[in-house]
Amino acid sequence: MHILEFVRTAFSLKSTLRSGWVLSDIPHPETVAEHSFGVAALCLLWPDIKGLNKDKMLKMAILHEICEVITGDIVFENGIYVNNERNVEKVSKEHEAIETLFSKLDNETLKQLVLEFLEQKSPESRFVKGVDKIEMLIQTMIYEKKAPPGVLDQFWLNSEKYLKERGMEEYYNCLLQARNNSEFKCKHNQINVFKDILKLKNVQKSAWRLKDVRNPESIASHSFGISLLSLVVPLPNNINREKLVRMAIVHEIGKLLSGDSICETGRFINQQKCKLKVESEICSLQQILPEPMYKKCGSLSAEYLQQKTIIAKYLKQLDRLEVVIQSLFYEKFCNSELCDEFWNNANMHIKDKTLRKYFEYLLNQRNRRS
């Protein structure tokens, strides 16, 4: 079960806070998992660029901070100032972490993608790094509403050089102008959409909140988890991994406006409530995304919600597997009986042979622990 070991290790990014915000005394800062979701979502929604492989960039975006599972979020820059000694230490630790992590996964392709991002030599890796900085600047503007003036200036100074080097200075200038107007509106509408999508970091998963779980994960954190699973699990022959990854990234963005409503409790399903939930989320998608983005990405989320295609039904099983993996973590801190319905739900719906094997392994671990 090396894949599950890798995934459960990577899930610690859901509780790893971004060091830059912590050191700046930002209250309740985002996690590394939420940031990784943000970068992946922005890469997906970004207009296609000739010569760049988008599916490669999506995988890279999901995994680009995976080393921090072992190294933590090492800060070696402060604005334009670089601590070279600390940077050398960071690079060394990251390469060691890659060897350790991927020895559990045995997936050379994904390992090389992470190395490619760290080396910053390919067009795709440089673009993802640019999007990483744009995502950080949007988050900076959100935090600046509550932070003392000037505290987060270093993030602007840091990002400017990266975006200029990557031919993305136009977006930096657009964000800088938006920073200086009270409405936080940018002339590039895609940036305004990105800002809305990142609000999923603040939408808690209702299933955990209703169980009184302390600090329940967000929709963004959960979406990172299912996106990671979609990258690493062996797939049936009739499932296209590239489409699965794209669908996983956007599968819950409709909850940005509709909220995370519950229509299932264990084996009991409120059909009418589920129907209204689907309609509400699809309506939200159409409001959030401009038509070109909806056709390319929002339609994938709608396909998932409607549960009529083989790939949508498979992703739903993957979603239930993700929930029980997360449940094992939360059960360390709460009464495990409160989470029984998630296990019953997964037990009833996970049919794929490989996913079933993973579920039974996790269930056995849970039973041994109790």
Side-chain angles (χ1 to χ4, degrees):
M1 292 295 172
H2 294 311
I3 286 176
L4 283 181
E5 188 179 348
F6 174 86
V7 169
R8 292 177 69 182
T9 301
F11 270 32
S12 66
L13 293 178
K14 294 184 175 193
S15 54
T16 303
L17 302 179
R18 293 266 283 165
S19 294
W21 309 128
V22 173
L23 294 172
S24 300
D25 294 323
I26 298 298
H28 311 297
E30 66 176 340
T31 65
V32 175
E34 289 169 331
H35 163 69
S36 297
F37 160 77
V39 176
L42 266 59
C43 282
L44 177 56
L45 292 167
W46 204 283
D48 292 342
I49 298 175
K50 187 176 181 180
L52 294 184
N53 183 328
K54 176 159 284 192
D55 290 308
K56 178 181 178 181
M57 293 191 296
L58 294 177
K59 295 172 185 177
M60 196 178 284
I62 293 165
L63 293 170
H64 81 284
E65 303 279 29
I66 196 72
C67 299
E68 293 182 12
V69 166
I70 293 175
T71 66
D73 189 8
I74 301 172
V75 176
F76 68 95
E77 294 179 282
N78 187 335
I80 61 173
Y81 302 102
V82 178
N83 184 326
N84 288 314
E85 183 178 337
R86 192 158 173 78
N87 186 28
V88 170
E89 175 194 5
K90 177 178 184 288
V91 170
S92 175
K93 285 185 174 181
E94 284 174 338
H95 281 79
E96 289 176 12
I98 289 171
E99 294 301 325
T100 301
L101 283 168
F102 284 91
S103 66
K104 298 178 181 180
L105 188 60
D106 191 27
N107 189 318
E108 188 64 24
T109 301
L110 293 182
K111 176 182 173 181
Q112 290 303 318
L113 274 181
V114 179
L115 287 169
E116 185 177 326
F117 176 78
L118 293 178
E119 290 166 0
Q120 284 294 292
K121 292 179 180 178
S122 69
E124 285 86 358
S125 67
R126 290 175 62 78
F127 180 81
V128 173
K129 187 69 172 181
V131 174
D132 172 81
K133 294 300 179 182
I134 287 172
E135 197 274 353
M136 185 182 74
L137 286 182
I138 296 173
Q139 192 63 50
T140 300
M141 285 195 285
I142 293 170
Y143 288 148
E144 280 182 323
K145 291 180 179 179
K146 298 181 180 179
V151 168
L152 302 181
D153 285 353
Q154 59 170 305
F155 297 99
W156 290 91
L157 293 170
N158 172 277
S159 300
E160 184 178 13
K161 63 179 180 180
Y162 281 97
L163 294 174
K164 282 183 176 179
E165 289 171 358
R166 287 156 179 77
M168 302 170 84
E169 186 177 3
E170 178 184 357
Y171 293 98
Y172 175 83
N173 292 333
C174 172
L175 287 163
L176 194 59
Q177 289 175 357
R179 183 195 191 197
N180 295 324
N181 70 56
S182 58
E183 294 183 354
F184 183 29
K185 290 290 184 182
C186 183
K187 68 177 182 179
H188 286 289
N189 190 44
Q190 70 192 65
I191 297 292
N192 299 321
V193 175
F194 295 164
K195 179 200 69 173
D196 289 336
I197 296 299
L198 296 188
K199 291 177 183 176
L200 287 170
K201 297 176 184 181
N202 301 319
V203 181
Q204 294 179 335
K205 285 287 286 180
S206 294
W208 305 124
R209 191 180 70 248
L210 294 173
K211 299 299 180 186
D212 292 325
V213 168
R214 184 181 297 180
N215 298 321
E217 70 171 339
S218 65
I219 297 291
S221 175
H222 165 70
S223 296
F224 164 78
I226 193 171
S227 298
L228 182 71
L229 278 168
S230 72
L231 274 185
V232 301
V233 296
L235 298 180
N237 292 332
N238 59 349
I239 300 295
N240 177 277
R241 190 176 301 277
E242 283 67 33
K243 182 177 179 180
L244 184 71
V245 170
R246 291 181 179 220
M247 187 179 285
I249 293 169
V250 298
H251 80 292
E252 293 202 327
I253 61 173
K255 292 181 177 178
L256 183 60
L257 296 182
S258 67
D260 188 19
S261 58
I262 302 292
C263 62
E264 295 181 70
T265 305
R267 296 176 180 273
F268 303 101
I269 301 174
N270 185 323
Q271 298 289 354
Q272 182 61 25
K273 192 172 182 180
C274 280
K275 181 181 178 182
L276 292 173
K277 175 177 178 286
V278 169
E279 291 173 353
S280 175
E281 288 191 36
I282 291 176
C283 182
S284 295
L285 288 168
Q286 293 168 337
Q287 291 181 58
I288 296 164
L289 300 176
E291 187 175 353
M293 284 189 188
Y294 180 81
K295 284 183 177 179
K296 186 171 66 172
C297 305
S299 58
L300 286 173
S301 184
E303 181 180 342
Y304 170 77
L305 290 167
Q306 291 164 338
Q307 285 293 295
K308 293 180 180 178
T309 60
I310 292 172
I311 195 168
K313 292 176 181 178
Y314 180 85
L315 187 63
K316 188 70 172 180
Q317 295 181 67
L318 209 57
D319 179 272
R320 296 176 197 278
L321 184 68
E322 198 276 349
V323 169
V324 295
I325 295 172
Q326 188 63 32
S327 181
L328 278 177
F329 172 76
Y330 285 142
E331 287 175 30
K332 295 177 183 177
F333 310 103
C334 69
N335 183 348
S336 62
E337 291 181 2
L338 292 174
C339 298
D340 283 351
E341 69 177 78
F342 304 121
W343 293 88
N344 292 335
N345 190 302
N347 186 36
M348 184 169 61
H349 290 98
I350 295 178
K351 306 295 185 184
D352 175 80
K353 288 182 179 179
T354 301
L355 300 186
R356 186 76 200 174
K357 181 174 67 174
Y358 293 156
F359 169 75
E360 289 173 354
Y361 175 81
L362 293 166
L363 183 61
N364 187 45
Q365 282 202 329
R366 184 188 193 228
N367 291 335
R368 286 208 311 267
R369 195 162 71 183
S370 60

